[in-house]
Amino acid sequence: MKAKAAVFMGPHKDFEVREFEITPTPKGYGQMELVASGICGTDLHFHNGKLAINPPTVIGHEFVGRITDLDEKEGAKYGLAIGDHVIADIAIPCGECILCKNGDDANCVNMQVTNGGSIDVAPYLYGGYAEVNYTPLSNLVKIPASIDPRVAATFACPGPTAIHACELAKKADVDFSSINVAVVQGLGPVGTFAVMYLKALGVKTVYAITAGNDTTRENTALAIGADKVFNLTREGVEAVTKALQAENGGLGVDLTIECSGAPAAVVQGMDILRNRGVYLVPGQYSASGEIAIQPQLITFKALHIIGSSQYSMCDVGIYLDFLSTHTELHEKIKELGTCFKVTEINKAIAYAKSQKNVKTLLVK
């Protein structure tokens, strides 16, 4: 038997669709058939040449699938069996560095990844852009039966990404239930999920900032909990900044989470925060350019700036718990994914770059 996969050939180049033999499952691994695999902003950075990865390779790290083969005894150690739906987590922390030992394995300095295997060596299919995937059992997270795996796939990476930033804030004693006003910059997958999640954490008012002339993402944000969406293209940066600085009696907003990836967003994010405001920054994930900031704002406002670049297995668990307790969101979440077959990879990449939707998914 064979499975198709989309092979990354380098920045700005078309992907190649190739067939690979389905080979025996290595010890300690699970074999899965594809349910849905998301196209991440990180993948687009690879294709745009803003992040480096060596081609040819099968990229993708948002694989959600059904287990089709594993060693039963090995699987039992992880609570896994054939037929289970799972999320494949990409990160393999070393467990030995100072960060891992201090409970911060998301920032492991020796981080390895599950999708780094060669496409020239069996079982070939480690990445997410494939009809079959092989991932270590230790990196598979079982999806509860109460959650449609397609729903789980929509925010399989963006959800834990936003959650981890919030978890770091909690470790810094940020009490989300006491926040009056929070702002989400950007309404891509991470930003859209952040709107939902901040509302669930008890934030009283959640605003979003976006740009462009397509109102699809704006309407989505309003439907899932945003109290208002500001559009930089229509309203202008200065007007939006002044409106948000007027919050809390003219002090500014309590918390901002940067999810747009636009360097200029950081300037506005700092400007709209009140004194002792909290700035979460998970969105700046590529070398997209430099900006000039006013560093004295950090001092005079005593800003609390928290970067967040990865997430842990436990964040995936929190994500699934969130979905389990917010079933009222499932149908809306499912509507946010636009699906393409693996063989339609180049159309899918172009569509994801168009920003006409919230999430683009590959399916079998």
Side-chain angles (χ1 to χ4, degrees):
M1 295 179 64
K2 294 184 178 182
K4 293 182 176 67
V7 180
F8 174 73
M9 302 305 295
H12 310 295
K13 296 181 179 179
D14 282 350
F15 286 72
E16 289 186 4
V17 177
R18 300 181 185 177
E19 282 194 331
F20 294 84
E21 294 287 342
I22 298 178
T23 61
T25 306
K27 181 177 175 59
Y29 277 70
Q31 179 196 95
M32 295 158 289
E33 65 177 6
L34 176 65
V35 172
S37 186
I39 293 178
C40 182
T42 301
D43 302 333
L44 300 183
H45 293 324
F46 289 143
H47 197 249
N48 290 332
K50 292 182 177 181
L51 285 176
I53 191 169
N54 293 324
T57 187
V58 177
I59 63 171
H61 57 271
E62 300 186 9
F63 192 96
V64 169
R66 186 180 69 86
I67 297 176
T68 49
D69 187 43
L70 50 60
D71 181 279
E72 291 185 3
K73 289 184 178 179
E74 287 183 332
K77 296 176 184 177
Y78 298 96
L80 299 170
I82 291 174
D84 288 343
H85 286 102
V86 291
I87 293 176
D89 183 37
I90 186 177
I92 307 177
C94 71
E96 298 296 328
C97 71
I98 188 171
L99 290 158
C100 284
K101 289 183 176 180
N102 287 331
D104 190 13
D105 63 3
N107 289 296
C108 171
V109 297
N110 303 308
M111 187 73 79
Q112 301 296 312
V113 292
T114 60
N115 67 350
S118 171
I119 60 171
D120 296 319
V121 180
Y124 315 114
L125 303 174
Y126 299 99
Y129 289 11
E131 295 175 338
V132 169
N133 172 275
Y134 296 85
T135 290
L137 295 171
S138 57
N139 282 70
L140 298 180
V141 184
K142 184 176 178 179
I143 300 171
S146 60
I147 302 173
D148 183 333
R150 274 279 305 281
V151 171
T154 306
F155 293 112
C157 171
T161 296
I163 286 168
H164 188 72
C166 293
E167 289 299 300
L168 291 178
K170 289 178 184 178
K171 289 181 180 179
D173 295 325
V174 175
D175 179 4
F176 284 87
S177 65
S178 68
I179 292 174
N180 292 316
V181 184
V183 173
V184 176
Q185 294 177 292
L187 284 175
V190 176
T192 300
F193 182 84
V195 169
M196 288 189 289
Y197 195 64
L198 290 173
K199 274 293 188 180
L201 290 177
V203 174
K204 297 174 181 64
T205 301
V206 177
Y207 295 133
I209 300 176
T210 189
N213 296 312
D214 189 336
T215 59
T216 302
R217 290 184 173 185
E218 296 176 49
N219 293 333
T220 296
L222 292 169
I224 60 174
D227 293 278
K228 183 175 181 178
V229 178
F230 294 88
N231 186 293
L232 298 174
T233 303
R234 292 196 301 269
E235 301 170 59
V237 174
E238 184 177 355
V240 173
T241 298
K242 286 183 177 179
L244 293 170
Q245 287 174 334
E247 293 292 327
N248 280 318
L251 296 178
V253 306
D254 304 291
L255 179 143
T256 300
I257 178 167
E258 202 299 296
C259 304
S260 73
V266 176
V267 176
Q268 185 177 47
M270 292 170 59
D271 283 345
I272 63 179
L273 283 165
R274 64 165 172 81
N275 285 19
R276 292 298 293 146
V278 179
Y279 198 11
L280 306 182
V281 190
Q284 298 293 323
Y285 209 79
S286 71
S288 295
E290 299 178 355
I291 53 167
I293 65 170
Q294 299 182 62
Q296 73 274 15
L297 290 181
I298 301 172
T299 302
F300 293 154
K301 286 187 175 184
L303 296 179
H304 194 172
I305 301 175
I306 302 175
S308 179
S309 63
Q310 310 288 346
Y311 56 84
S312 299
M313 290 275 285
C314 60
D315 299 308
V316 181
I318 295 170
Y319 167 64
L320 292 174
D321 287 343
F322 170 81
L323 292 179
S324 293
T325 55
H326 291 277
T327 55
E328 75 282 359
L329 294 171
H330 287 197
E331 284 305 312
K332 186 61 181 179
I333 290 172
K334 196 170 182 179
E335 293 173 4
L336 302 181
T338 305
C339 295
F340 293 83
K341 292 185 177 181
V342 171
T343 54
E344 301 174 302
I345 179 60
N346 292 306
K347 288 183 180 179
I349 291 291
Y351 195 77
K353 288 183 179 183
S354 75
Q355 299 185 349
K356 292 179 180 178
N357 65 337
V358 173
K359 191 63 182 178
T360 303
L361 300 162
L362 298 178
V363 296
K364 191 171 181 180

